[in-house]
Amino acid sequence: MSRTHRTHRIAVLAGDGIGPEVMTESLRVLDAVEARFGFSTVRDERLVGGAAIDATGHPLPPETIAACEQSDAILFGSVGGPKWESQPPDLQPERGALLPLRKHFGLFANLRPGVCLPSLTHASPVKNELIPNGFDVLCVRELTGGVYFGQPKGREERDGEPVAFDTMIYRKSEIDRILRVAFTAAMGRGKRLVSVDKANVLATSVLWRETANEVAADFPEVALSHLYVDNAAMQLVKRPDSFDVLVTENLFGDILSDEMAMISGSLGMLPSASLGKQNAGGLYYGMYEPSGGSAPDIAGRGIANPIAQILSAAMMLRHSLGENEAAAAIEAAVARTIDDGYRTGDIATGAAAEIRVGTAGMADAVLERL
Ligand code: NAD
């Protein structure tokens, strides 16, 4: 199929620590798929996080927000590090940049793949006999509602002692839209969706479950089931390969998606997407970033695993730019690179068949397989 040449605009915010190192490699991979699949990206590289604090005094300068507003998507590295830990809370790299970006762009759907490739099961803390073929779970987390943002929230004196309170609140429309993201994701994968709640205790969960059952009518091919969050946490460590897509509210998703990252074995392998508005063509405005942080312990040494950042670029191509073939090509090249034995330190075992590489070497191996 030949299509006319397409141009997309992206904001590139590399950030701190290993962010710039792994971003460089993901942009090389982007260059390669652009040449092969006949599109181009106009890239607006801007400061964010600690790097922006050093240059401008603020972790999210107005020029950076403006660049993001003029783009189809944000490719984000990671922010933070010991240097900026004594900043006031709202001027800290994560709190002062990531949270405002999510809020500004209404990024309500967080997609966190938890993937353990068959050749990397040794890196997973799950007993290897339980996951002979690895696993591939997608967690869809609601990101802008629930107890983190509900009002009233606060602290006061009652009967002579301090009390503190948070409010867990969900509108039906908020639940409906995140479920539609999850059902749609399930349609593109194994067509099995587990909705996670605590409907035996929480009113928000009862509304969540009712809404999930209603939305299911629009996706008759997807098999929907429900799990209580405590059971979901247990099943994830017992049989992660029994899941396809999991959808849940903000607090539960925060915890379960980190559990999934941990059982996957290496943060350096896991991308993520945070999606906001959807256009008429079904593409989302989104921000794409590795699940891990800025890894100050290994920054500047050229040894970080660039795959999480490379796969974040692939997610961007699929969900925001509509370049599905390029996304699939990157994912396939990454899987082959791992199958062929290429390992950065975080996923190495020392086995003789492994080919030890650094950040650039891993990207070279992916590029050779594209
Ligand atoms: P981290 O994810 O940065 O690091 C945890 C461990 O995983 C470290 O040992 C690190 O070396 C390793 N790791 C992470 N990514 C890797 C990669 N690509 N290749 C190889 N190893 C990798 O978490 P942390 O140490 O708790 O936090 C460090 C800093 O990052 C803190 O300032 C924190 O606030 C920030 N942080 C930022 C984000 C973000 O930007 N979204 C997320 C989490 C943490």
Side-chain angles (χ1 to χ4, degrees):
M1 182 184 69
S2 85
R3 293 197 277 164
T4 50
H5 188 88
R6 304 161 308 278
T7 302
H8 310 285
R9 249 192 113 77
I10 61 171
V12 176
L13 315 185
D16 309 314
I18 61 168
E21 302 169 40
V22 292
M23 184 64 83
T24 300
E25 304 310 326
S26 73
L27 295 179
R28 285 172 64 211
V29 171
L30 211 47
D31 287 339
V33 288
E34 288 181 20
R36 180 168 151 200
F37 293 97
F39 66 97
S40 50
T41 55
V42 176
R43 302 168 192 171
D44 201 347
E45 299 195 23
R46 297 287 170 165
L47 293 173
V48 74
I53 295 173
D54 289 350
T56 71
H58 197 282
L60 186 63
E63 311 82 75
T64 299
I65 300 181
C68 296
E69 281 170 347
Q70 283 147 26
S71 300
D72 302 314
I74 307 169
L75 188 59
F76 194 94
S78 49
V79 290
K83 184 176 175 192
W84 304 283
E85 268 162 17
S86 53
Q87 290 277 118
D90 286 344
L91 290 179
Q92 296 224 348
E94 273 184 276
R95 205 160 141 187
L98 269 179
L99 299 187
L101 274 173
R102 281 183 192 163
K103 191 162 178 222
H104 187 82
F105 291 101
L107 305 177
F108 69 93
N110 189 212
L111 270 50
R112 291 265 305 256
V115 178
C116 182
L117 294 171
S119 51
L120 290 182
T121 52
H122 62 83
S124 170
V126 177
K127 276 197 192 117
N128 284 8
E129 61 264 32
L130 293 177
I131 45 167
N133 302 310
F135 54 85
D136 179 351
V137 192
L138 175 68
C139 179
V140 179
R141 166 189 171 195
E142 203 289 327
L143 203 55
T144 50
V147 73
Y148 290 177
F149 300 100
Q151 294 293 339
K153 174 190 267 306
R155 188 181 158 128
E156 62 192 32
E157 287 282 311
R158 283 188 202 162
D159 303 324
E161 65 172 333
V163 295
F165 47 89
D166 300 284
T167 302
M168 189 181 240
I169 182 165
Y170 268 106
R171 290 169 188 275
K172 189 178 171 94
S173 54
E174 289 175 297
I175 303 172
D176 186 282
R177 70 176 179 174
I178 189 74
L179 277 153
R180 286 181 191 280
V181 171
F183 273 103
T184 305
M187 280 300 289
R189 299 173 38 115
K191 299 191 175 146
R192 289 180 296 120
L193 177 64
V194 176
S195 173
V196 175
D197 62 37
K198 190 72 182 168
N200 49 346
V201 182
L202 298 174
T204 44
S205 283
V206 173
L207 180 60
W208 185 281
R209 197 173 275 221
E210 275 170 28
T211 311
N213 288 332
E214 281 171 28
V215 175
D218 290 342
F219 298 87
E221 286 179 50
V222 176
L224 170 71
S225 56
H226 304 273
L227 271 187
Y228 294 137
V229 62
D230 39 353
N231 192 10
M234 291 190 281
Q235 297 306 322
L236 268 176
V237 284
K238 203 169 144 207
R239 285 307 305 268
D241 61 353
S242 67
F243 290 90
D244 178 23
V245 182
L246 214 144
V247 60
T248 191
E249 63 88 48
N250 202 345
L251 168 65
F252 299 160
D254 191 358
I255 299 166
L256 290 183
S257 59
D258 270 3
E259 181 186 350
M260 271 171 44
M262 174 47 80
I263 61 172
S264 298
S266 173
L267 273 178
M269 296 287 298
L270 299 178
S272 78
S274 302
L275 309 180
K277 276 207 186 77
Q278 198 176 21
N279 69 19
L283 297 174
Y284 289 92
Y285 187 87
M287 180 159 94
Y288 301 85
E289 57 179 320
S291 287
S294 58
D297 52 334
I298 57 167
R301 292 165 54 195
I303 59 171
N305 189 343
I307 288 181
Q309 190 75 58
I310 291 170
L311 291 176
S312 298
M315 288 187 94
M316 173 184 78
L317 290 169
R318 176 171 290 116
H319 296 290
S320 287
L321 308 185
E323 300 291 351
N324 294 335
E325 290 169 54
I330 293 175
E331 287 158 356
V334 165
R336 276 201 299 280
T337 302
I338 297 299
D339 271 352
D340 289 345
Y342 289 85
R343 300 284 184 270
T344 41
D346 55 315
I347 50 173
T349 56
E354 289 179 358
I355 306 162
R356 279 296 290 270
V357 283
T359 310
M362 184 64 106
D364 287 342
V366 173
L367 285 166
E368 281 162 18
R369 285 159 185 76
L370 260 177

